[in-house]
mmCIF file of all heavy atoms in Angstrom:
data_model
loop_
_atom_site.group_PDB
_atom_site.id
_atom_site.type_symbol
_atom_site.label_atom_id
_atom_site.label_comp_id
_atom_site.label_asym_id
_atom_site.label_seq_id
_atom_site.Cartn_x
_atom_site.Cartn_y
_atom_site.Cartn_z
ATOM 1 N N MET A 630 -127.972 -29.627 210.633
ATOM 2 C CA MET A 630 -128.399 -28.748 211.741
ATOM 3 C C MET A 630 -128.837 -27.405 211.237
ATOM 4 O O MET A 630 -128.377 -26.919 210.190
ATOM 5 C CB MET A 630 -127.215 -28.582 212.676
ATOM 6 C CG MET A 630 -127.552 -27.890 213.956
ATOM 7 S SD MET A 630 -126.022 -27.767 214.977
ATOM 8 C CE MET A 630 -126.697 -26.959 216.460
ATOM 9 N N MET A 631 -129.808 -26.791 211.903
ATOM 10 C CA MET A 631 -130.262 -25.434 211.575
ATOM 11 C C MET A 631 -129.089 -24.453 211.624
ATOM 12 O O MET A 631 -128.086 -24.674 212.281
ATOM 13 C CB MET A 631 -131.347 -24.976 212.532
ATOM 14 C CG MET A 631 -130.831 -24.807 213.960
ATOM 15 S SD MET A 631 -132.001 -24.147 215.085
ATOM 16 C CE MET A 631 -131.089 -24.334 216.619
ATOM 17 N N ARG A 632 -129.262 -23.363 210.820
ATOM 18 C CA ARG A 632 -128.178 -22.354 210.768
ATOM 19 C C ARG A 632 -128.493 -21.104 211.590
ATOM 20 O O ARG A 632 -127.605 -20.415 212.045
ATOM 21 C CB ARG A 632 -127.912 -21.961 209.376
ATOM 22 C CG ARG A 632 -127.474 -23.125 208.429
ATOM 23 C CD ARG A 632 -126.285 -23.892 208.981
ATOM 24 N NE ARG A 632 -125.637 -24.758 207.974
ATOM 25 C CZ ARG A 632 -125.712 -26.065 207.987
ATOM 26 N NH1 ARG A 632 -126.357 -26.719 208.897
ATOM 27 N NH2 ARG A 632 -125.119 -26.753 206.984
ATOM 28 N N THR A 633 -129.742 -20.776 211.743
ATOM 29 C CA THR A 633 -130.198 -19.564 212.436
ATOM 30 C C THR A 633 -131.643 -19.563 212.616
ATOM 31 O O THR A 633 -132.342 -20.477 212.188
ATOM 32 C CB THR A 633 -129.696 -18.309 211.660
ATOM 33 O OG1 THR A 633 -129.929 -17.142 212.481
ATOM 34 C CG2 THR A 633 -130.430 -18.121 210.346
ATOM 35 N N LEU A 634 -132.204 -18.496 213.268
ATOM 36 C CA LEU A 634 -133.650 -18.243 213.187
ATOM 37 C C LEU A 634 -133.890 -17.091 212.210
ATOM 38 O O LEU A 634 -133.144 -16.081 212.276
ATOM 39 C CB LEU A 634 -134.195 -17.859 214.611
ATOM 40 C CG LEU A 634 -134.035 -18.930 215.730
ATOM 41 C CD1 LEU A 634 -134.546 -18.401 217.031
ATOM 42 C CD2 LEU A 634 -134.895 -20.187 215.326
ATOM 43 N N PHE A 635 -134.839 -17.253 211.364
ATOM 44 C CA PHE A 635 -135.074 -16.237 210.279
ATOM 45 C C PHE A 635 -135.207 -14.862 210.871
ATOM 46 O O PHE A 635 -136.086 -14.566 211.667
ATOM 47 C CB PHE A 635 -136.328 -16.633 209.487
ATOM 48 C CG PHE A 635 -136.618 -15.694 208.413
ATOM 49 C CD1 PHE A 635 -135.877 -15.724 207.216
ATOM 50 C CD2 PHE A 635 -137.683 -14.772 208.496
ATOM 51 C CE1 PHE A 635 -136.207 -14.862 206.193
ATOM 52 C CE2 PHE A 635 -137.929 -13.895 207.473
ATOM 53 C CZ PHE A 635 -137.209 -13.931 206.325
ATOM 54 N N GLY A 636 -134.277 -13.993 210.380
ATOM 55 C CA GLY A 636 -134.354 -12.635 210.762
ATOM 56 C C GLY A 636 -134.038 -12.269 212.232
ATOM 57 O O GLY A 636 -134.162 -11.156 212.677
ATOM 58 N N ASN A 637 -133.491 -13.300 212.923
ATOM 59 C CA ASN A 637 -133.265 -13.026 214.348
ATOM 60 C C ASN A 637 -132.097 -13.917 214.913
ATOM 61 O O ASN A 637 -132.364 -14.848 215.681
ATOM 62 C CB ASN A 637 -134.537 -13.263 215.171
ATOM 63 C CG ASN A 637 -134.482 -12.542 216.536
ATOM 64 O OD1 ASN A 637 -133.417 -12.242 217.056
ATOM 65 N ND2 ASN A 637 -135.655 -12.358 217.127
ATOM 66 N N HIS A 638 -130.921 -13.642 214.464
ATOM 67 C CA HIS A 638 -129.767 -14.442 214.852
ATOM 68 C C HIS A 638 -129.501 -14.316 216.393
ATOM 69 O O HIS A 638 -129.006 -15.224 217.022
ATOM 70 C CB HIS A 638 -128.520 -14.096 214.030
ATOM 71 C CG HIS A 638 -127.440 -15.141 214.120
ATOM 72 N ND1 HIS A 638 -127.554 -16.380 213.538
ATOM 73 C CD2 HIS A 638 -126.257 -15.148 214.786
ATOM 74 C CE1 HIS A 638 -126.408 -17.105 213.789
ATOM 75 N NE2 HIS A 638 -125.660 -16.350 214.563
ATOM 76 N N LYS A 639 -129.788 -13.150 216.915
ATOM 77 C CA LYS A 639 -129.538 -12.904 218.334
ATOM 78 C C LYS A 639 -130.400 -13.841 219.165
ATOM 79 O O LYS A 639 -129.979 -14.477 220.159
ATOM 80 C CB LYS A 639 -129.860 -11.431 218.656
ATOM 81 C CG LYS A 639 -129.499 -11.049 220.101
ATOM 82 C CD LYS A 639 -129.688 -9.564 220.254
ATOM 83 C CE LYS A 639 -129.297 -9.098 221.712
ATOM 84 N NZ LYS A 639 -130.216 -9.565 222.707
ATOM 85 N N ARG A 640 -131.679 -14.034 218.766
ATOM 86 C CA ARG A 640 -132.514 -14.934 219.478
ATOM 87 C C ARG A 640 -132.057 -16.388 219.342
ATOM 88 O O ARG A 640 -132.153 -17.191 220.256
ATOM 89 C CB ARG A 640 -133.995 -14.789 218.982
ATOM 90 C CG ARG A 640 -134.996 -15.546 219.779
ATOM 91 C CD ARG A 640 -136.407 -15.436 219.136
ATOM 92 N NE ARG A 640 -137.376 -16.126 220.014
ATOM 93 C CZ ARG A 640 -138.609 -16.402 219.641
ATOM 94 N NH1 ARG A 640 -139.047 -15.998 218.444
ATOM 95 N NH2 ARG A 640 -139.463 -17.016 220.428
ATOM 96 N N PHE A 641 -131.534 -16.679 218.145
ATOM 97 C CA PHE A 641 -130.942 -17.999 217.915
ATOM 98 C C PHE A 641 -129.855 -18.331 218.937
ATOM 99 O O PHE A 641 -129.799 -19.375 219.565
ATOM 100 C CB PHE A 641 -130.381 -18.040 216.489
ATOM 101 C CG PHE A 641 -129.520 -19.229 216.096
ATOM 102 C CD1 PHE A 641 -130.125 -20.488 215.885
ATOM 103 C CD2 PHE A 641 -128.195 -19.027 215.890
ATOM 104 C CE1 PHE A 641 -129.307 -21.577 215.519
ATOM 105 C CE2 PHE A 641 -127.396 -20.120 215.492
ATOM 106 C CZ PHE A 641 -127.965 -21.389 215.322
ATOM 107 N N GLU A 642 -128.936 -17.353 219.092
ATOM 108 C CA GLU A 642 -127.859 -17.553 220.037
ATOM 109 C C GLU A 642 -128.357 -17.618 221.502
ATOM 110 O O GLU A 642 -127.866 -18.490 222.238
ATOM 111 C CB GLU A 642 -126.836 -16.389 219.924
ATOM 112 C CG GLU A 642 -126.142 -16.402 218.540
ATOM 113 C CD GLU A 642 -125.191 -15.221 218.431
ATOM 114 O OE1 GLU A 642 -125.423 -14.141 219.021
ATOM 115 O OE2 GLU A 642 -124.162 -15.392 217.720
#
Side-chain angles (χ1 to χ4, degrees):
M630 188 179 183
M631 65 175 172
R632 301 305 196 252
T633 189
L634 295 178
F635 179 74
N637 200 338
H638 196 71
K639 186 172 184 290
R640 188 182 183 192
F641 170 71
E642 293 179 330

